[in-house]
Amino acid sequence: MRRISVSVILLLTAVAVVLGVTVFLCTCAQRKGEIMNDEAEAVPKTSINELTVTVVYDNNPYGQGLETSWGFSAFITGPEKTILFDSGGDGSMLLRNMKKLEVEANSVDAVVLSHIHGDHTGGLSSFLEKNPDVTVYLPESFPKRFKDKVRGYGARAVEVGEPTKICANVYSTGQLGKWIKEQALIIRTEKGLIVITGCAHPGIVNIVNAAKDLLKEDILFVMGGFHLEWAGKGKIEKIISAFKELNVRYAGPCHCTGAKARKLFEEHFGENYINIGAGKVINLADLK
Ligand SMILES: [Zn+2]
Ligand SMILES: [Zn+2]
């Protein structure tokens, strides 16, 4: 009898310890997000077969009747979460463009901020006033006051250090770079990986390499700011060669890429160059 009660006590203690650790880990996970690990990746791969990326904010013009201003933001539907990547510089302009493009701020589940610069984060407050029911994934190096402000709106803030899973088939590269820390978005589709960058301060080739290393799949499409506004022709051509070596199928440089680099990408990628500006809509179905 006595032996049984000792066993019961031991069993109950073990259960309590397991529960305690689980609760602790869950609380940490809410702040840190789901770090990518082998176990998480061991689940069968079911990749995305429908995806739309709508560029709601860019300094390059594209769609009629849309405003342009320095900055970048893209609205992504198709994955289990609807995502806003970056928020442009001016919140009211962001919301006006979203309205014109008929993409609903209220449908967004997750906001991913590439880096701290105002042309990527400036629109966030106006957005959160409209829809605070989102999880904001931001590099952990962001100042505390920024994170507090996000939480002050009632939104959840996930601080990204390591590569992080946002939802099925959607990942952050994790915080990259030494000087200006930046994360990029990776979407695994049935046709290959799509990489979306903000300003690519850590280097666009480094970012594409990081995406490929992480998911070990072909790169279908790289879009966003490549940060080559002041780069010389030699440097730009080296980057284009690196893209070719990495087998990047489509390139859509915009925002801070600069006119010279965009033109060179267009020359080298031909019909696989995607001209991106405010209002451009990219459908996975149109990529081969
Ligand atoms: Zn920047
Ligand atoms: Zn920028």
Side-chain angles (χ1 to χ4, degrees):
M1 188 64 191
R2 195 153 164 216
R3 185 170 289 174
I4 291 171
S5 55
V6 169
S7 312
V8 168
I9 289 167
L10 280 175
L11 183 69
L12 286 176
T13 313
V15 169
V17 167
V18 169
L19 276 176
V21 169
T22 310
V23 169
F24 174 76
L25 287 176
C26 289
T27 316
C28 287
Q30 275 174 6
R31 287 216 156 195
K32 295 305 280 178
E34 192 180 329
I35 309 289
M36 282 179 72
N37 55 39
D38 292 342
E39 202 188 324
E41 289 314 291
V43 292
K45 289 175 188 173
T46 47
S47 46
I48 287 167
N49 55 18
E50 266 179 46
L51 183 90
T52 305
V53 181
T54 305
V55 178
V56 289
Y57 204 111
D58 197 82
N59 35 286
N60 299 289
Y62 185 86
Q64 266 204 342
L66 291 157
E67 295 171 64
T68 53
S69 180
W70 188 253
F72 182 68
S73 177
F75 179 93
I76 301 142
T77 53
E80 63 177 337
K81 284 185 183 169
T82 296
I83 297 166
L84 187 72
F85 178 80
D86 283 342
S87 63
D90 174 350
S92 45
M93 191 191 120
L94 171 76
L95 295 177
R96 283 197 299 276
N97 273 357
M98 284 177 80
K99 200 170 174 197
K100 274 185 201 135
L101 288 160
E102 295 177 343
V103 296
E104 267 294 323
N106 284 328
S107 68
V108 173
D109 305 298
V111 178
V112 179
L113 296 175
S114 62
H115 68 299
I116 191 73
H117 288 161
D119 55 326
H120 299 259
T121 56
L124 185 69
S125 293
S126 306
F127 176 84
L128 291 179
E129 277 165 23
K130 271 221 131 189
N131 178 11
D133 187 18
V134 291
T135 303
V136 181
Y137 291 81
L138 38 78
E140 64 180 4
S141 56
F142 269 34
K144 186 179 176 296
R145 66 176 183 283
F146 191 104
K147 299 168 189 167
D148 289 346
K149 201 174 166 193
V150 168
R151 293 185 177 119
Y153 279 101
R156 296 164 295 279
V158 168
E159 302 171 25
V160 177
E162 298 300 307
T164 298
K165 184 175 179 180
I166 291 165
C167 62
N169 298 305
V170 182
Y171 304 90
S172 159
T173 54
Q175 186 177 255
L176 303 172
K178 289 190 177 73
W179 182 238
I180 301 158
K181 303 274 172 64
E182 184 167 338
Q183 63 176 334
L185 195 69
I186 315 167
I187 306 165
R188 179 200 276 141
T189 78
E190 63 176 13
K191 295 174 179 175
L193 304 177
I194 295 181
V195 181
I196 307 180
T197 64
C199 258
H201 292 293
I204 186 65
V205 176
N206 292 337
I207 291 174
V208 177
N209 269 317
K212 202 162 185 168
D213 285 350
L214 224 54
L215 292 167
K216 300 182 175 57
E217 285 179 37
D218 291 342
I219 309 279
L220 173 69
F221 177 36
V222 183
M223 66 168 283
F226 290 6
H227 205 62
L228 298 169
E229 189 96 58
W230 298 278
K233 196 176 177 214
K235 185 183 173 182
I236 297 166
E237 285 188 327
K238 255 174 116 171
I239 288 169
I240 293 171
S241 306
F243 265 52
K244 296 281 184 187
E245 268 166 46
L246 282 161
N247 268 323
V248 175
R249 212 156 342 140
Y250 293 87
C254 57
H255 178 40
C256 57
T257 306
K260 188 184 5 167
R262 292 179 84 214
K263 196 163 177 287
L264 285 169
F265 265 95
E266 186 174 7
E267 280 171 25
H268 284 86
F269 272 81
E271 53 183 34
N272 284 13
Y273 169 82
I274 298 181
N275 178 24
I276 292 182
K280 173 73 181 178
V281 179
I282 301 123
N283 278 308
L284 179 62
D286 299 330
L287 307 177
K288 290 175 194 90

